[in-house]
Amino acid sequence: MTKTEQAITPGAPNSRYWPDADMTPMAEDGAKAIQRERSVLLAEGKSLDPMPPAYFLAVSGGGDDGAFGAGLLVGWTDLRTRPSFKVVTGISTGALIAPFAYLGPKYDQVLRHVYTGIGPADVYKARGMLAAITSDGMADNRPLGDLIATYVTADMLAEVAAEYAKGRVLLIATTDIDARRPVLWNMGAIATSKDPRALKLFRDIMLASAAIPAAFSPVLIDVEVDGTSYQEMHVDGGASAQVFLYPPRLFESTRATGEQLAERKRYAYIIRNSKIGPEWAMTERRTMSIAGRAIASLLQSDGIGDLYRIFATTQKDGVDFNLAFIGQDFREAHREDFDTEYMRKLFDYGYRLSSKGYPWQKAPPGYSGAVTK
């Protein structure tokens, strides 16, 4: 085990996993979540044979395109078919959506406000061009931190803890930029902690997951190794993946703990806050314009790869795969990052599709093989 893996977060020592390392801690926590769920079902007089269906939700990154996912969830509520998700994961803008999606429709108004009622000034404060060589980001993302703090309160944390006690799971991903490794945070374990630092840690993880490297300041998270304090630098989870469901070998690792996964129907819903196909745009013959366009192309390709990895995992594990993404028919102008008018129209677009019954795709784009159901 490396020093990085030995580091613990004070107040919530068992709150994170390294998906590229030993899966045993995550598998053990997964087994405990199943046991908590069974206890609740028995207390309610419900049968465990079979166990009720398990619904998974994964919300991707995408910046202000997160308005699509927010609108889709709110429209799904109004359609009255939105399930209660056993597992919710979020990354980047998806990390801002995930806790509210986890807590259910009562927080739909928060999603509506955040993705239709804010503008650039509510997310960041631009720095001068010298920031490229003198600072840790081209913009100060403290306004976003303040926005998160407005809605992520001690009372909300108590609600997350209550749902965690029922066996539900909320995971948010960041990237430890020092170690160049993805980190999955068990937000329910943090919410359950009685440590006074838990609320700040919860907020910091959400902010870190949305901290685009070089664009926004990274978030420093306090850790301890063998009693010595350090600070880790965490940035956008999208630096590691655009969307995630669960590590591919998690089911096998859970069985290895002695927990026999019950026969039950499992459904995975993946919201990709982006268009799937390529988009043409004029690229200026300038270094920053060319670099920005190249990075966007790389992220687009990585996002497609993530969908295929998730699909392969769900096919192996017998989980029903469902994918939503922004269609090519959405053609509204995007004038600047976190353009309020753009986000309102995209939110309405997602809402309209979902409130009528979203046509979930059963495979990633371009897949032509058989689909196991």
Side-chain angles (χ1 to χ4, degrees), residues 94-117:
L96 304 180
I97 295 172
F100 304 107
Y102 177 79
L103 292 176
K106 67 177 291 186
Y107 280 93
D108 281 0
Q109 288 307 310
V110 173
L111 292 177
R112 183 184 294 274
H113 171 70
V114 169
Y115 285 96
T116 67

Short mmCIF file of all heavy atoms in Angstrom, two decimals, residues 94-117:
data_model
loop_
_atom_site.label_atom_id
_atom_site.label_comp_id
_atom_site.label_asym_id
_atom_site.label_seq_id
_atom_site.Cartn_x
_atom_site.Cartn_y
_atom_site.Cartn_z
N GLY A 94 -21.81 16.81 -12.55
CA GLY A 94 -22.63 15.73 -12.00
C GLY A 94 -22.51 15.61 -10.50
O GLY A 94 -23.43 15.16 -9.82
N ALA A 95 -21.36 16.03 -9.95
CA ALA A 95 -21.17 16.03 -8.49
C ALA A 95 -22.02 17.09 -7.82
O ALA A 95 -22.38 16.96 -6.65
CB ALA A 95 -19.70 16.25 -8.15
N LEU A 96 -22.35 18.16 -8.56
CA LEU A 96 -23.23 19.19 -8.03
C LEU A 96 -24.68 18.73 -8.06
O LEU A 96 -25.50 19.18 -7.25
CB LEU A 96 -23.07 20.48 -8.83
CG LEU A 96 -21.65 21.04 -8.94
CD1 LEU A 96 -21.65 22.32 -9.76
CD2 LEU A 96 -21.05 21.28 -7.56
N ILE A 97 -25.01 17.85 -8.99
CA ILE A 97 -26.38 17.34 -9.13
C ILE A 97 -26.63 16.15 -8.21
O ILE A 97 -27.71 16.01 -7.63
CB ILE A 97 -26.64 16.93 -10.59
CG1 ILE A 97 -26.59 18.17 -11.50
CG2 ILE A 97 -27.97 16.20 -10.74
CD1 ILE A 97 -26.66 17.84 -12.99
N ALA A 98 -25.63 15.27 -8.09
CA ALA A 98 -25.81 13.96 -7.45
C ALA A 98 -26.42 14.01 -6.05
O ALA A 98 -27.36 13.25 -5.76
CB ALA A 98 -24.48 13.20 -7.42
N PRO A 99 -25.94 14.86 -5.11
CA PRO A 99 -26.54 14.83 -3.77
C PRO A 99 -28.03 15.17 -3.77
O PRO A 99 -28.80 14.59 -3.00
CB PRO A 99 -25.74 15.88 -3.00
CG PRO A 99 -24.43 15.96 -3.73
CD PRO A 99 -24.78 15.77 -5.16
N PHE A 100 -28.44 16.07 -4.65
CA PHE A 100 -29.84 16.46 -4.71
C PHE A 100 -30.68 15.40 -5.41
O PHE A 100 -31.83 15.15 -5.03
CB PHE A 100 -29.97 17.82 -5.39
CG PHE A 100 -29.14 18.88 -4.73
CD1 PHE A 100 -27.99 19.36 -5.34
CD2 PHE A 100 -29.47 19.37 -3.48
CE1 PHE A 100 -27.19 20.32 -4.72
CE2 PHE A 100 -28.69 20.32 -2.84
CZ PHE A 100 -27.54 20.81 -3.47
N ALA A 101 -30.11 14.74 -6.41
CA ALA A 101 -30.79 13.62 -7.05
C ALA A 101 -30.95 12.47 -6.05
O ALA A 101 -31.98 11.78 -6.04
CB ALA A 101 -30.01 13.16 -8.27
N TYR A 102 -29.95 12.27 -5.23
CA TYR A 102 -29.96 11.22 -4.21
C TYR A 102 -31.08 11.44 -3.20
O TYR A 102 -31.77 10.51 -2.80
CB TYR A 102 -28.59 11.23 -3.52
CG TYR A 102 -28.38 10.28 -2.37
CD1 TYR A 102 -28.10 8.93 -2.58
CD2 TYR A 102 -28.41 10.73 -1.05
CE1 TYR A 102 -27.86 8.07 -1.53
CE2 TYR A 102 -28.17 9.87 0.02
CZ TYR A 102 -27.90 8.54 -0.22
OH TYR A 102 -27.66 7.69 0.83
N LEU A 103 -31.28 12.68 -2.81
CA LEU A 103 -32.31 13.00 -1.81
C LEU A 103 -33.71 13.08 -2.39
O LEU A 103 -34.68 13.17 -1.66
CB LEU A 103 -31.95 14.30 -1.09
CG LEU A 103 -30.71 14.22 -0.19
CD1 LEU A 103 -30.39 15.58 0.41
CD2 LEU A 103 -30.90 13.18 0.92
N GLY A 104 -33.81 13.07 -3.71
CA GLY A 104 -35.12 12.92 -4.32
C GLY A 104 -35.80 14.21 -4.76
O GLY A 104 -35.23 15.30 -4.70
N PRO A 105 -37.05 14.08 -5.21
CA PRO A 105 -37.79 15.19 -5.81
C PRO A 105 -37.95 16.43 -4.93
O PRO A 105 -38.17 17.52 -5.46
CB PRO A 105 -39.15 14.57 -6.13
CG PRO A 105 -38.85 13.12 -6.37
CD PRO A 105 -37.79 12.79 -5.37
N LYS A 106 -37.85 16.29 -3.62
CA LYS A 106 -38.02 17.46 -2.76
C LYS A 106 -36.95 18.51 -3.04
O LYS A 106 -37.11 19.69 -2.68
CB LYS A 106 -38.01 17.07 -1.28
CG LYS A 106 -36.68 16.56 -0.77
CD LYS A 106 -36.73 16.26 0.73
CE LYS A 106 -36.85 17.53 1.55
NZ LYS A 106 -36.76 17.28 3.00
N TYR A 107 -35.86 18.11 -3.70
CA TYR A 107 -34.79 19.05 -4.03
C TYR A 107 -34.80 19.46 -5.50
O TYR A 107 -33.84 20.06 -5.98
CB TYR A 107 -33.43 18.46 -3.65
CG TYR A 107 -33.13 18.59 -2.17
CD1 TYR A 107 -33.46 17.58 -1.28
CD2 TYR A 107 -32.56 19.75 -1.66
CE1 TYR A 107 -33.21 17.70 0.07
CE2 TYR A 107 -32.30 19.89 -0.31
CZ TYR A 107 -32.64 18.86 0.56
OH TYR A 107 -32.38 19.00 1.90
N ASP A 108 -35.88 19.15 -6.20
CA ASP A 108 -35.96 19.55 -7.61
C ASP A 108 -35.88 21.06 -7.80
O ASP A 108 -35.32 21.55 -8.78
CB ASP A 108 -37.27 19.04 -8.24
CG ASP A 108 -37.20 17.56 -8.60
OD1 ASP A 108 -36.13 16.94 -8.37
OD2 ASP A 108 -38.20 17.02 -9.11
N GLN A 109 -36.43 21.80 -6.86
CA GLN A 109 -36.39 23.26 -6.99
C GLN A 109 -34.97 23.80 -6.86
O GLN A 109 -34.63 24.84 -7.45
CB GLN A 109 -37.31 23.93 -5.96
CG GLN A 109 -38.79 23.75 -6.26
CD GLN A 109 -39.16 24.20 -7.67
OE1 GLN A 109 -38.80 25.31 -8.10
NE2 GLN A 109 -39.86 23.34 -8.39
N VAL A 110 -34.14 23.11 -6.11
CA VAL A 110 -32.72 23.50 -6.03
C VAL A 110 -32.06 23.28 -7.38
O VAL A 110 -31.34 24.16 -7.89
CB VAL A 110 -32.00 22.69 -4.93
CG1 VAL A 110 -30.49 22.99 -4.97
CG2 VAL A 110 -32.57 23.01 -3.56
N LEU A 111 -32.30 22.12 -7.99
CA LEU A 111 -31.72 21.85 -9.31
C LEU A 111 -32.21 22.87 -10.33
O LEU A 111 -31.44 23.37 -11.16
CB LEU A 111 -32.09 20.43 -9.77
CG LEU A 111 -31.47 19.28 -8.98
CD1 LEU A 111 -31.99 17.95 -9.50
CD2 LEU A 111 -29.95 19.32 -9.06
N ARG A 112 -33.49 23.19 -10.27
CA ARG A 112 -34.05 24.16 -11.21
C ARG A 112 -33.38 25.53 -11.04
O ARG A 112 -32.99 26.17 -12.01
CB ARG A 112 -35.55 24.29 -11.02
CG ARG A 112 -36.22 25.24 -12.03
CD ARG A 112 -37.70 25.38 -11.73
NE ARG A 112 -38.44 24.15 -11.92
CZ ARG A 112 -38.94 23.75 -13.08
NH1 ARG A 112 -38.74 24.50 -14.16
NH2 ARG A 112 -39.62 22.63 -13.16
N HIS A 113 -33.22 25.96 -9.79
CA HIS A 113 -32.61 27.28 -9.56
C HIS A 113 -31.15 27.31 -9.98
O HIS A 113 -30.71 28.24 -10.67
CB HIS A 113 -32.72 27.68 -8.10
CG HIS A 113 -31.93 28.93 -7.79
ND1 HIS A 113 -32.31 30.17 -8.25
CD2 HIS A 113 -30.76 29.11 -7.12
CE1 HIS A 113 -31.41 31.07 -7.87
NE2 HIS A 113 -30.47 30.45 -7.18
N VAL A 114 -30.40 26.29 -9.57
CA VAL A 114 -28.97 26.30 -9.85
C VAL A 114 -28.68 26.28 -11.34
O VAL A 114 -27.73 26.92 -11.82
CB VAL A 114 -28.28 25.11 -9.15
CG1 VAL A 114 -26.84 24.94 -9.63
CG2 VAL A 114 -28.31 25.30 -7.63
N TYR A 115 -29.51 25.58 -12.11
CA TYR A 115 -29.23 25.46 -13.54
C TYR A 115 -30.07 26.37 -14.44
O TYR A 115 -29.95 26.29 -15.66
CB TYR A 115 -29.35 24.00 -13.97
CG TYR A 115 -28.15 23.19 -13.51
CD1 TYR A 115 -28.19 22.46 -12.32
CD2 TYR A 115 -26.96 23.22 -14.22
CE1 TYR A 115 -27.08 21.74 -11.89
CE2 TYR A 115 -25.85 22.51 -13.79
CZ TYR A 115 -25.91 21.78 -12.63
OH TYR A 115 -24.81 21.09 -12.20
N THR A 116 -30.89 27.23 -13.85
CA THR A 116 -31.63 28.20 -14.66
C THR A 116 -31.56 29.61 -14.09
O THR A 116 -31.94 30.55 -14.78
CB THR A 116 -33.13 27.82 -14.79
OG1 THR A 116 -33.77 27.92 -13.51
CG2 THR A 116 -33.29 26.41 -15.34
N GLY A 117 -31.08 29.75 -12.86
CA GLY A 117 -31.14 31.05 -12.22
C GLY A 117 -29.80 31.67 -11.87
O GLY A 117 -29.75 32.72 -11.21
#
